[in-house]
Amino acid sequence: MNNDEILDKAIRRVPDFPKPGILFFDVTSIFTNPPAFKHCLDRMVEIYKNKKIDAIAAVESRGFLFAAPLADRLNIPLVLIRKKGKLPGDVYRASYSLEYGEATIEAHKADIEKGKKYLVIDDLIATGGTLTASKELIEQGEGIVSEFFGVIGIPELNYSEKLAPTPVTTLIDLSEK
């Protein structure tokens, strides 16, 4: 079995969560599978080690788990994008629609630097709403989003068109059907 197959098998599929008709791809099962998690991190390093990225911005909460070790391996700063009300102090804020609801995210104003290039990481890219809002946060601080990354992509929801012209990279594409 190759590494992509190990990753695919490590992703738990949960039907009708968080509501009927949604097939939820649970990446938490990747963390209980060391070869799958190592494959994710190794591939991320391979993809980004030679790209001009000044910092990583990670989306709460599973995005943190992939972004933190990557930031460490690349020796670049990590900015946390959190759900509304979780950060003290001055924040940038953006709201967005999810496949199954509405949400607001925030980032510390002090963490976003003007002119710096950010790689935005989330565990899964579905509609692109979270990443669009993340880009809005970074742009409020005059940062530049150079690329989006997700371990899983659901291309049938057209995220790449919604996030264009910013490049999007995923390790595996899956279908909700």
Side-chain angles (χ1 to χ4, degrees):
M1 184 177 328
N2 70 36
N3 287 328
D4 290 335
E5 292 170 331
I6 290 169
L7 176 59
D8 186 35
K9 288 186 181 291
I11 299 166
R12 185 180 302 122
R13 278 94 164 148
V14 183
D16 298 319
F17 183 83
K19 69 178 195 177
I22 303 285
L23 176 59
F24 185 80
F25 297 108
D26 183 10
V27 301
T28 61
S29 53
I30 292 172
F31 305 112
T32 62
N33 184 322
F37 187 49
K38 181 181 183 326
H39 169 66
C40 290
L41 295 177
D42 289 349
R43 285 285 296 128
M44 292 166 71
V45 168
E46 181 182 314
I47 293 165
Y48 294 108
K49 68 182 175 188
N50 295 318
K51 291 195 178 185
K52 176 65 176 121
I53 300 165
D54 298 308
I56 294 172
V59 178
E60 184 172 353
S61 65
R62 292 174 302 270
F64 294 177
L65 300 172
F66 293 100
L70 179 62
D72 176 66
R73 288 185 184 187
L74 298 179
N75 195 34
I76 58 176
L78 175 64
V79 175
L80 302 182
I81 298 174
R82 308 259 351 240
K83 294 174 184 160
K84 183 179 177 181
K86 302 280 186 176
L87 295 172
D90 293 332
V91 295
Y92 294 117
R93 182 174 291 128
S95 296
Y96 63 100
S97 296
L98 288 164
E99 188 178 4
Y100 46 82
E102 299 274 327
T104 299
I105 54 174
E106 299 174 334
H108 279 127
K109 287 183 178 181
D111 293 348
I112 308 296
E113 295 186 49
K114 179 179 180 176
K116 297 284 185 178
K117 292 184 179 180
Y118 293 84
L119 166 63
V120 180
I121 294 180
D122 204 353
D123 62 327
L124 182 140
I125 306 174
T127 65
T130 308
L131 296 179
T132 298
S134 298
K135 183 176 181 180
E136 183 181 318
L137 287 178
I138 291 166
E139 289 176 346
Q140 287 175 42
E142 299 183 55
I144 301 159
V145 174
S146 59
E147 189 167 339
F148 295 115
F149 173 85
V151 174
I152 300 170
I154 306 174
E156 68 199 46
L157 297 176
N158 301 314
Y159 63 80
S160 58
E161 293 169 12
K162 295 171 187 170
L163 297 171
T166 305
V168 181
T169 300
T170 60
L171 293 185
I172 190 169
D173 289 332
L174 299 174
S175 175
E176 288 189 315
K177 301 193 184 336

